[in-house]
Amino acid sequence: MNYIWEVVGRHPTGQQPTGAETIQKLCDRVASSTLLEDRRDAVRALKSLSKKYRMEVGTMAMDHLVRILQTDRADTEILGYALDTLYNIVCSDEEEEPDDSEEENQQKQEEDLGVQFTDKFIQEPDNITLLLTLLEEFDFHVRWPGVKLLTALLKSQCAPVQGIILVSPMGVSRLMDLLADSREVIRNDGLLLLQQLTKGNTAIQKIVAFENAFERLLEIITEEGSSDGGIVVEDCLLLLLNLLKNNSSNQNFFKEGSYIQKMKPWFEVGDDNSGWSAQKVTNLHLMLQLVRVMVSPVNSPGATTSCQKAMFQCGLLQQLCTILMATGVPADILTETINTVSEVIRGSEVNQDYFASVNAPSNPPRPAIVVLLMSMVNERQPFVLRCAVLYCFQCFLYKNHKGQGEIVATLLPSTIDANSISAGQLLCGGLFSADSLSNWCAAVALAHALQDNLTQKEQLLRVQLATSLGKPPVSLLQQCTNILSQGSRVQTKVGLLMLLCTWISNCPIAVMHFLHNQDNVPFLTGQISENLGEDERLVQGLCALLLGICIYYNDNSLENYTKEKLKQLIEKRIGKENFVEKLGFITKHELYSRAAQKPQPAFSTPEHMLFDHEFTKLVKELEGMITKAVLRSSEEEKKEEEVKKTLEQHDSIVTQYKELIREQDSQINELKEQVTLQSSQNEKLQNTITQQFSQIQQHKDQYNILKLKLGKDNQQTGNQAEAAHVNGLQPEELSQLREQLEELQRQNQLLQTQLTEKDSLITSLKAEGVPSAEGSTSEVTELQKEVELLKAQLQSQTAEITQLQSERQELLRGSETTAAIPGEDGVYTEKIAELESRLSAQTAETQKLKGEVKTLLESKELMEKELASATSTAAIMQAEKSKLQQEVQESKKEQDDLLMLLADQDQKILSLKQRLKDLGETIEDEDDLDSRDQFDDNDDEEEEEEECDE
């Protein structure tokens, strides 16, 4: 403590100042000192006094400490002292547990003090933002106290601090960075911080989940040893539960991210399960709770179904069943595993079928369901385990008509096997045992085998029981009523009455069988009319419900117990109002509302085990209907029946009209389709007619033109024929000459088209060429020259053909006038001969050009192959170049990281040397020389890296 007196300016000798005075002087020193060392010493002194004088330090120094956090950001040591002091102020000391009421009051005052200081700190939201900024500091002495302080603030005032962090830019993201810290202390405290941060805030839970929290948490669990890990695994699992519980968005993200599949290795247990540590039990318990969160009945049905499917496909359900049938598993883990398997198979047909096929590793093998039922009806088993088995059996039968049929079939005479124990035998044994809890569990389990299944209700009427030797067997229904009349315990009566109500509801045949026994109705009326104690009021209510079901679902097949006679009996012996009041005892019972909340039976003691969740639904459905049925008079019933008949007739008429309307709708749709088809066909025909009409009009115009030409041709035919004969040429020869000229023109046009295509191909090849295809470029140039030469030849040929055409026209005009000029016959004969020779020469030249074109085509194909080869070579070289560039970048990045690490190390060495100098230690010069040499080496390495980069 001497440094405190040095800071405040007094020595321990003489009169010592009080704690408040010392703290006030330290605060003045923090506020007024210009030297950083003085402020640091003062804050360190405040830290040492903050636990003993928590009130004084929090009241006088909090503002100064916040100002230190704002102004002295460069000094990590003073920041650490300030954060530690604030943590001591805000956080209550919970290490010592109070022994008596006085210490409890003191502890409560400490907690209230922490809440007050937290409120003062968060009055300025910028303080939380400042704290989040300080968490980015990598220095251990700043980041760790910052994490602890923020955790303490969240524990003290969770909702306000959550709101500030939520609106702070990148606030949650900064906290998520703590999970990536290589220092385990900070990472572990970061887990505790995120646990507090995600409590009850859906928005923050979503942000944390989308910041890749699931991936990181699962990695930490795997690194720490999964279920064999320590407290860190427990913290990760608690955080996962916070993120997933009652958060459908995160649950869907967890499932879509295939994280369910990563949970399977958690549940791999060996053959030797003895000696489980307490931490392993805790971890596995939390893991099972995490699975249950994903398939909880309170989730949406679609999400639950998809998660159940994923758990079966990845083998998680199979792994859980392995734990279920393993030996040496602790009782609480076995109980939680049974509850988990229950919710994984609840309502999933595939999972239920698989569970039905699971056998216990016994000799001979027995179905897992039979083994579990043996535990349920065994009174020596723990109460929570028996409740878990009942829940598992209920989930197995939930919406599972196939499973219900299999259970009921084990009770029928035709399927009973004397050599093996079946589920039905165990249920009957539990139903009639001396243990009231076994009676209740077996009755509820059997009721679930009949839930919403009329077929199995009728099948169960066939079950006959042998009560004793020499006596005829009695039905299961009659045996249940016999036990009721024998004055059993309240729990047994409640279980049997729930079974009977479930059995005969919505089953007129079962109602008839129940009323057929003459003793049942008098027993029920007697129970309802008596004034029994508080414990028996629930039994009276259930008897009233059972009698009401007999009225509501009565088909009047028994003359003595028709609806009307039963109501008259109630009115005479009980009274309608009294009957309705007794019926209301069920829903008014305190345990009724608790059982109606969730499907899992959760009872603190066996005595509280009275209601089943599915039975509460049945009561809610039937109570109002039974009340109306009992209170209605016979005339009202007749009127209601008439109204029902009228409504049925009306419904039948409406049904007929609906069928007629459906038929008409189908006919209208067919007619609409036909109209649409006819309309499309009509449009096509109209288009065809229009085209044909235009063609006919064109043909008419052509016919008129030909008709006019024919009139002129008829006048000149004689003269042309005579002129042709005179010149030695027949008309057939002239027509052949015309055809040859037209053929030459077509060939010329074809060659021009081919040359145009060659030009475009050469241009594209030049544009797409690569640097490595130099040979291909030169060949393309030569090919272009040949094409230019061929163009010139074709142009000259075109000119000659044009000239021949003009000469032909002149010849034709001359032949028309040859009759008028007698001396021109020889001249025209010579010209025609010359024309024929030139035409033959042109034909030969055309054949030559065709050969050249063929050669050019072959050259083109060869060039395309060479270009393709060059392109592929260039692509390979480009890929290799990219790969080399990527390797160079990676090498540069590694070198930069090494340089940064070396620089950090040198900085730390220099700071340590400076601190040694400040403490008066002597430092040899060789260290300085080594440090300078190290910096020189670093500079050389940086220069070499820059040269390599260039």
Side-chain angles (χ1 to χ4, degrees), residues 51-312:
K51 288 186 178 181
K52 185 176 181 181
Y53 300 99
R54 184 181 177 194
M55 171 68 80
E56 292 79 3
V57 174
T59 305
M60 293 185 285
M62 180 175 286
D63 295 335
H64 299 293
L65 294 173
V66 172
R67 195 172 299 110
I68 288 292
L69 297 178
Q70 294 171 348
T71 57
D72 292 330
R73 295 280 301 275
D75 188 74
T76 59
E77 188 175 358
I78 193 173
L79 289 178
Y81 292 150
L83 291 171
D84 283 331
T85 307
L86 289 172
Y87 173 75
N88 293 336
I89 295 171
V90 172
C91 181
S92 301
D93 191 4
E94 301 177 355
E95 294 180 359
E96 297 181 358
E97 296 182 357
D99 295 334
D100 50 22
S101 60
E102 184 177 350
E103 293 187 1
E104 288 181 2
N105 294 331
Q106 183 179 358
Q107 182 70 23
K108 186 176 180 181
Q109 291 177 2
E110 293 286 334
E111 293 177 356
D112 294 340
L113 194 61
V115 172
Q116 293 175 8
F117 287 135
T118 301
D119 291 336
K120 182 179 179 181
F121 186 81
I122 65 176
Q123 281 179 357
E124 290 294 334
D126 292 339
N127 292 343
I128 300 295
T129 306
L130 174 63
L131 190 55
L132 292 173
T133 306
L134 291 174
L135 290 179
E136 294 181 349
E137 179 66 42
F138 188 76
D139 190 274
F140 179 82
H141 297 289
V142 176
R143 179 173 268 197
W144 188 39
V147 171
K148 293 194 297 181
L149 175 58
L150 190 55
T151 305
L153 294 173
L154 284 166
K155 286 182 179 179
S156 182
Q157 291 287 353
C158 187
V161 179
Q162 284 177 336
I164 298 172
I165 294 175
L166 189 60
V167 299
S168 178
M170 299 296 290
V172 180
S173 300
R174 292 171 180 173
L175 299 180
M176 285 299 300
D177 293 339
L178 298 174
L179 297 182
D181 200 303
S182 58
R183 295 160 294 192
E184 292 188 0
V185 176
I186 294 178
R187 184 199 67 183
N188 298 343
D189 283 351
L191 289 171
L192 300 176
L193 170 59
L194 290 173
Q195 284 181 27
Q196 298 296 326
L197 180 66
T198 55
K199 280 185 177 179
N201 194 307
T202 306
I204 293 180
Q205 290 169 1
K206 291 180 180 179
I207 296 174
V208 171
F210 283 95
E211 287 284 346
N212 204 26
F214 293 140
E215 183 73 28
R216 181 59 186 147
L217 291 174
L218 292 176
E219 287 178 358
I220 295 174
I221 291 172
T222 304
E223 292 171 0
E224 295 291 331
S226 297
S227 60
D228 294 324
I231 191 68
V232 178
V233 174
E234 180 182 349
D235 292 337
C236 291
L237 294 171
L238 289 172
L239 179 54
L240 285 172
L241 285 173
N242 283 354
L243 295 176
L244 293 174
K245 196 170 185 178
N246 300 324
N247 194 319
S248 57
S249 175
N250 283 0
Q251 289 173 5
N252 185 59
F253 181 64
F254 191 84
K255 178 182 68 70
E256 296 296 334
S258 300
Y259 296 117
I260 291 178
Q261 289 80 346
K262 297 181 180 180
M263 296 167 64
K264 180 189 173 185
W266 296 352
F267 304 101
E268 293 178 355
V269 296
D271 298 332
D272 185 13
N273 294 314
S274 59
W276 284 32
S277 64
Q279 187 62 53
K280 181 175 182 178
V281 172
T282 303
N283 292 343
L284 200 56
H285 196 275
L286 291 173
M287 291 172 179
L288 292 169
Q289 286 186 1
L290 195 61
V291 176
R292 294 185 64 185
V293 164
M294 297 300 296
V295 292
S296 175
V298 300
N299 297 342
S300 62
T304 301
T305 302
S306 60
C307 290
Q308 289 172 334
K309 182 179 179 182
M311 289 177 183
F312 176 76

Side-chain angles (χ1 to χ4, degrees), residues 464-475 479 482 486:
Q464 299 291 322
L465 301 176
T467 56
S468 61
L469 293 174
K471 291 185 179 181
V474 296
S475 65
Q479 183 64 17
N482 292 339
Q486 292 173 2

Side-chain angles (χ1 to χ4, degrees), residues 49 95 216 241 756 768 784 890 908:
L49 296 172
E95 294 180 359
R216 181 59 186 147
L241 285 173
T756 304
E768 297 176 358
Q784 187 175 8
E890 291 178 354
K908 290 180 180 178

Side-chain angles (χ1 to χ4, degrees), residues 768-775 777 870 874:
E768 297 176 358
V770 294
S772 61
E774 297 178 356
T777 305

Side-chain angles (χ1 to χ4, degrees), residues 524-587:
L524 293 178
T525 55
Q527 288 286 321
I528 298 170
S529 59
E530 289 181 2
N531 292 322
L532 302 176
E534 188 71 23
D535 296 337
E536 296 288 339
R537 295 181 67 181
L538 177 58
V539 177
Q540 287 183 315
L542 292 172
C543 290
L545 178 66
L546 184 59
L547 187 56
I549 292 173
C550 292
I551 295 173
Y552 189 79
Y553 291 105
N554 196 334
D555 59 356
N556 297 324
S557 58
L558 295 176
E559 294 182 1
N560 296 331
Y561 295 110
T562 60
K563 286 185 178 181
E564 186 62 29
K565 289 184 179 180
L566 288 174
K567 291 199 309 186
Q568 292 175 1
L569 184 64
I570 290 174
E571 188 173 2
K572 290 180 181 178
R573 296 192 179 181
I574 304 171
K576 290 184 178 180
E577 290 77 9
N578 191 23
F579 177 86
V580 174
E581 182 183 358
K582 297 293 178 68
L583 183 61
F585 286 166
I586 302 174
T587 55

